[in-house]
Amino acid sequence: MSSRITDMTGAAQGGALVRRATARDAKRLTHLVRTSRAYEGPYAPMIAGYRVGPDYIEAHEVHVAVGQDGRVLGFYALLLTPPELDLLFVADDAQGLGIGRLLVAHLKDTARAAGLDRVRIVSHPPAEGFYLGVGAERVGTVTASPPAVMWDRPELELSIS
């Protein structure tokens, strides 16, 4: 299953393609997480030392958006049981290009194919607006759990229809 970014005319925007991640992507995905500007300042401890390993990629629905040059522009990880978006990252220099929306559309296709009707999202607080913009609904708040997570996070649900 793959998706392309399309504009209103149906032409591919930047030629981004979503494909299943492989173990060979692990270092690039880890780098994308660790260098994300969204996790600077008070959020930095949450990703310090974070690793997306080959074993994780093989065990879960992990998909990457790649440019025509093969560069990883973003990725998501969907847990099927229970259904939850575990990770979604877009490279800092690829934000605003529709990569996040492309990934969410692909996630919905993947979830639908797996027979899911909704996916839970525990959002990084600054990303809540993005998830609301792609159709998720706020259903609650997940309270902080120090020392790993020092802040409350929005809990959302994305309907798969």
Side-chain angles (χ1 to χ4, degrees):
M1 171 182 328
S2 64
S3 301
R4 288 193 178 273
I5 298 177
T6 55
D7 62 20
M8 298 307 255
T9 65
Q13 271 183 14
L17 173 71
V18 175
R19 64 162 171 79
R20 180 77 188 237
T22 67
R24 292 177 35 187
D25 293 313
K27 287 182 181 178
R28 291 189 286 179
L29 302 186
T30 296
H31 178 75
L32 201 151
V33 170
R34 289 185 182 176
T35 60
S36 174
R37 286 193 318 251
Y39 284 87
E40 292 178 334
Y43 299 116
M46 186 163 179
I47 61 167
Y50 197 90
R51 179 178 171 266
V52 180
D55 51 338
Y56 179 87
I57 290 170
E58 291 175 10
H60 301 293
E61 288 288 333
V62 182
H63 298 266
V64 297
V66 294
Q68 289 179 327
D69 59 359
R71 184 171 78 92
V72 172
L73 303 172
F75 77 100
Y76 75 86
L78 174 64
L79 308 180
L80 297 177
T81 308
E84 183 170 350
L85 175 62
D86 192 34
L87 301 166
L88 190 147
F89 280 84
V90 173
D92 292 335
D93 64 349
Q95 292 184 10
L97 302 176
I99 302 300
R101 289 183 178 277
L102 174 70
L103 289 168
V104 169
H106 190 277
L107 173 142
K108 289 175 94 174
D109 288 344
T110 301
R112 191 175 301 108
L116 304 177
D117 63 350
R118 61 186 34 91
V119 172
R120 178 180 187 237
I121 302 169
V122 178
S123 177
H124 179 48
E128 180 180 15
F130 167 76
Y131 290 116
L132 293 171
V134 295
E137 294 181 13
R138 179 118 188 217
V139 295
T141 301
V142 175
T143 56
S145 56
V149 182
M150 302 298 290
W151 57 90
D152 293 346
R153 294 171 293 159
E155 181 178 14
L156 304 110
E157 197 169 79
L158 182 64
S159 178
I160 306 302
S161 55

